[in-house]
Amino acid sequence: MPLALVMLGATPYAQDAPLPDTAELIREVKAGLRTDEELLRQYTFKERRRNVNVSRLGKVQFGQWREFEVYPSEVPGETYKRLISVDGTPLPAAELARRDAAHRKTVLDRLEQIRVERPKDRQKRLARTARERQEEQDVIDDVFAVYEIRLIGREMLDGRPTLVTSLTPRKQARTKSDAGKFLKKVRGKAWVNEADRQVVRTELEAVDDITFGFGLLARMQKGSTMMFRRTLVNGEIWLPAEAQYSVVGKTLVFRKFSLESTTRFSEYRKFNVTTSEEVTPKS
């Protein structure tokens, strides 16, 4: 959550105002930064995306556009992504009911397993959850270990003043996560909302080739780009709005490919018992 949430618009925008101290800005951003995985566990939302597959010969195949209602779970890996439409066509009510029933059975079976689990198994489960949470924190730590962050100016973004920073990777940085290894080959810029010190947009570019997976191992080439944008929800929290990828690469048999992919998130609602139970078809 924000380190010091300030009412938007309370401070007039001044392009010529002195920039804040960079070290202090970094401390404030880090204090308020959370991974998307952690933030999204607090909300239900809609996600629209399509799968991308690259064949061994470099042929790019796009799947159908799929829209999901996403219901989070505090148990990693058990979030319910409820498919509601394919290529703009809603799923039939009977199919929705079948999928909901299957998911409900899975949840009940899992709860029963937890109810009767032995102390040793419970300890292993909790340790696994703690390990996954630590891995999320490791990603945040690696962002600040990898990047030399410089404050380069101000910009208005979606009607709000932001502080613009450059992100330059330190090649010799020591990292703890797989994401950290990836970041060492990516440079970019980040926009920080000036009112609450939250990162609201990042634009990244590969400065070296990166081994990647698109159904098989491939190599993302230098110059590929990524953009991540957040939106303010309920006037209190910034959550993912859009992720874009423009990738040029080669497969393991050196066939070139290029692809562009976009995932969008919308219609956030605070997660609670009521929303978690809304998995039956609406009449």
Side-chain angles (χ1 to χ4, degrees):
M1 302 308 103
L3 177 67
L5 185 59
V6 181
M7 291 182 62
L8 296 174
T11 302
Y13 178 62
Q15 180 69 45
D16 297 329
L19 293 172
D21 177 72
T22 301
E24 180 63 21
L25 175 65
I26 292 172
R27 284 193 293 270
E28 292 176 345
V29 169
K30 186 175 182 179
L33 192 61
R34 301 292 183 270
T35 64
D36 288 346
E37 289 82 3
E38 178 180 351
L39 293 172
L40 291 177
R41 282 195 288 270
Q42 305 173 49
Y43 283 80
T44 67
F45 56 95
K46 286 187 177 180
E47 178 180 343
R48 185 175 183 267
R49 61 177 170 82
R50 58 179 175 175
N51 294 332
V52 181
N53 183 65
V54 179
S55 74
R56 186 179 295 274
L57 298 180
K59 182 179 180 180
V60 179
Q61 295 178 315
F62 291 96
Q64 297 170 302
W65 280 106
R66 295 173 178 265
E67 186 172 21
F68 301 85
E69 288 178 346
V70 183
Y71 295 86
S73 171
E74 280 299 317
V75 181
E78 294 192 8
T79 290
Y80 181 28
K81 291 197 171 186
R82 185 183 189 233
L83 181 64
I84 59 174
S85 72
V86 177
D87 282 339
T89 301
L91 261 64
E95 177 63 14
L96 281 174
R98 184 191 69 79
R99 289 170 177 260
D100 289 344
H103 174 71
R104 189 175 295 108
K105 182 179 185 305
T106 298
V107 171
L108 292 174
D109 288 347
R110 177 61 175 154
L111 290 174
E112 179 62 17
Q113 290 175 1
I114 292 174
R115 188 184 69 82
V116 300
E117 69 183 353
R118 297 174 299 175
K120 181 173 66 175
D121 293 330
R122 181 176 185 275
Q123 186 177 16
K124 288 181 179 179
R125 175 173 58 82
L126 294 178
R128 183 170 59 252
T129 299
R131 190 163 56 248
E132 291 170 343
R133 296 286 194 269
Q134 182 58 52
E135 289 172 356
E136 293 178 8
Q137 182 60 46
D138 288 346
V139 172
I140 291 178
D141 293 341
D142 280 350
V143 169
F144 294 93
V146 167
Y147 286 122
E148 178 183 352
I149 302 173
R150 293 184 178 179
L151 182 54
I152 58 178
R154 283 189 175 89
E155 287 183 16
M156 292 295 291
L157 191 64
D158 296 329
R160 296 185 177 93
T162 63
L163 299 166
V164 188
T165 65
S166 64
L167 308 174
T168 304
R170 303 181 178 99
K171 293 296 181 71
Q172 303 305 316
R174 300 182 65 178
T175 58
K176 297 181 284 186
S177 67
D178 290 338
K181 298 174 184 176
F182 174 86
L183 293 174
K184 290 170 70 173
K185 297 185 178 183
V186 174
R187 69 183 175 194
K189 295 167 67 176
W191 285 256
V192 177
N193 187 50
E194 192 158 10
D196 56 18
R197 300 302 198 251
Q198 292 293 298
V199 177
V200 299
R201 183 185 181 96
T202 54
E203 294 181 0
L204 304 173
E205 178 184 2
V207 295
D208 201 350
D209 291 353
I210 304 171
T211 300
F212 218 78
F214 293 102
L216 54 86
L217 284 179
R219 190 171 293 275
M220 177 193 295
Q221 291 185 311
K222 178 180 177 179
S224 297
T225 61
M226 293 145 278
M227 185 280 289
F228 305 94
R229 179 174 61 85
R230 285 189 166 92
T231 187
L232 186 62
V233 175
N234 296 337
E236 62 182 6
I237 187 171
W238 292 89
L239 294 171
E242 186 176 24
Q244 292 182 358
Y245 303 86
S246 181
V247 178
V248 177
K250 290 182 179 179
T251 68
L252 289 183
V253 294
F254 305 109
R255 293 296 185 95
K256 290 185 178 181
F257 67 89
S258 62
L259 64 89
E260 294 186 359
S261 178
T262 300
T263 299
R264 291 189 175 90
F265 306 84
S266 63
E267 298 187 34
Y268 284 101
R269 292 181 296 163
K270 190 72 174 180
F271 179 75
N272 53 43
V273 174
T274 301
T275 55
S276 70
E277 291 176 348
E278 291 180 0
V279 294
T280 54
K282 297 179 181 178
S283 56

